[in-house]
């Protein structure tokens, strides 16, 4: 048998609860509020005002118990609440994998999409229910709720890939997604970076 950094876990079934949008058995659950997304929305004044006005939950990530260890394939369901900050639609922080490895997303419920950026090019994929998005190695990825209800998707990713959030603060995503009168509008960069958030 191949050597493992941590002992591999035993085979088991995971149930995807389509109504609760959770995985069972459940592992860690992460909740990210607006204050956790400092420095990411372009309109810093609108972001600060919304943080002071209740600091709403923007998204939750419900994982199975498969650990984030090399050679494992953890999964999670992310649910992003609808809304915007200064017109910019709610999103996940977004990250790039320090170890360049791919990832798979499956749209489960609601309307949303996947924005990817390799430092030069950006790609936006609409990813509603039953569409699979492929994130190649070397592409930063962020999900966006473009609808008026919760948006949920399943992610399956290499457990040793890691999450680099600093790269996103430094490089952005090449585009931002806004609520437009005729639906979501992708606005390519050219925008200044937001002011640094206060500590
Ligand atoms: C998906 C996966 C996770 C990620 C989560 C939230 O479920 O890509 O690895 O943690 O989305 O995204 P972020 O880490 O960018 O906040
Ligand atoms: Zn990832």
């Amino acid at each position: 048998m191949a050597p493992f950094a941590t002992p591999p876990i035993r085979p088991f079934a995971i149930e995807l609860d389509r109504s609760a949008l959770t995985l069972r058995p459940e592992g860690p659950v992460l909740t990210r509020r607006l204050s956790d997304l400092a420095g990411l929305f372009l309109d810093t004044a609108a972001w600060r005002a919304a943080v002071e006005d209740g600091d709403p939950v923007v998204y939750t990530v419900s994982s199975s118990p498969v650990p984030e260890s090399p050679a494992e394939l953890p999964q999670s369901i992310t649910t992003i609440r609808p809304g915007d900050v200064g017109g910019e639609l709610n999103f996940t922080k977004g990250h790039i994998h320090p170890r360049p490895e791919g990832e798979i997303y499956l749209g489960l419920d609601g309307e949303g999409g996947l924005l990817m950026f390799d430092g030069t090019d950006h790609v936006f994929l609409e990813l509603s229910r039953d569409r699979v998005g492929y994130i190649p190695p070397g592409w930063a990825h962020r999900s966006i709720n473009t609808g008026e209800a919760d948006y949920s998707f399943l992610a399956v990713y290499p457990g040793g890939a890691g999450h680099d959030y600093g790269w996103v603060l430094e490089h952005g995503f090449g585009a931002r997604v806004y609520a437009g009168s005729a639906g979501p509008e992708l606005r390519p960069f050219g925008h200044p970076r937001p002011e640094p958030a206060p500590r």
Side-chain angles (χ1 to χ4, degrees):
M1 207 172 177
F4 290 90
T6 53
I9 59 174
R10 293 195 47 85
F12 69 109
I14 297 163
E15 195 172 320
L16 197 165
D17 184 330
R18 280 257 179 202
S19 53
L21 291 162
T22 53
L23 297 171
R24 288 211 173 75
E26 193 167 60
V29 179
L30 178 74
T31 299
R32 289 221 208 268
R33 293 182 174 275
L34 200 52
S35 54
D36 297 315
L37 278 67
L40 297 175
F41 288 96
L42 183 65
D43 188 339
T44 309
W47 170 81
R48 191 175 293 117
V51 167
E52 281 164 10
D53 186 24
D55 193 14
V57 170
V58 180
Y59 59 99
T60 58
V61 185
S62 158
S63 305
S64 85
V66 175
E68 286 188 347
S69 308
E72 299 284 3
L73 274 178
Q75 324 86 34
S76 53
I77 292 179
T78 300
T79 297
I80 311 175
R81 308 268 189 270
D84 68 274
V85 175
E88 194 174 357
L89 292 167
N90 278 359
F91 53 54
T92 58
K93 286 178 74 165
H95 61 269
I96 192 163
H97 298 156
R99 270 176 67 157
E101 298 189 279
E103 183 164 357
I104 291 283
Y105 280 9
L106 167 68
L108 293 177
D109 199 36
E111 292 168 47
L114 171 57
L115 180 61
M116 290 177 273
F117 185 51
D118 71 353
T120 306
D121 294 326
H122 65 267
V123 174
F124 181 73
L125 301 180
E126 189 272 324
L127 213 66
S128 55
R129 182 175 171 145
D130 291 346
R131 274 170 66 90
V132 174
Y134 178 59
I135 302 159
W139 288 73
H141 36 291
R142 162 179 285 167
S143 294
I144 297 145
N145 185 337
T146 59
E148 289 176 4
D150 285 358
Y151 169 60
S152 299
F153 64 93
L154 173 78
V156 183
Y157 55 99
H163 295 76
D164 182 350
Y165 297 104
W167 190 94
V168 169
L169 284 168
E170 184 65 24
H171 297 90
F173 265 92
R176 295 178 177 278
V177 185
Y178 285 83
S181 48
E185 265 176 31
L186 186 69
R187 296 191 197 157
F189 255 19
H191 298 294
R193 280 169 49 196
E195 297 164 29
R199 288 183 175 265

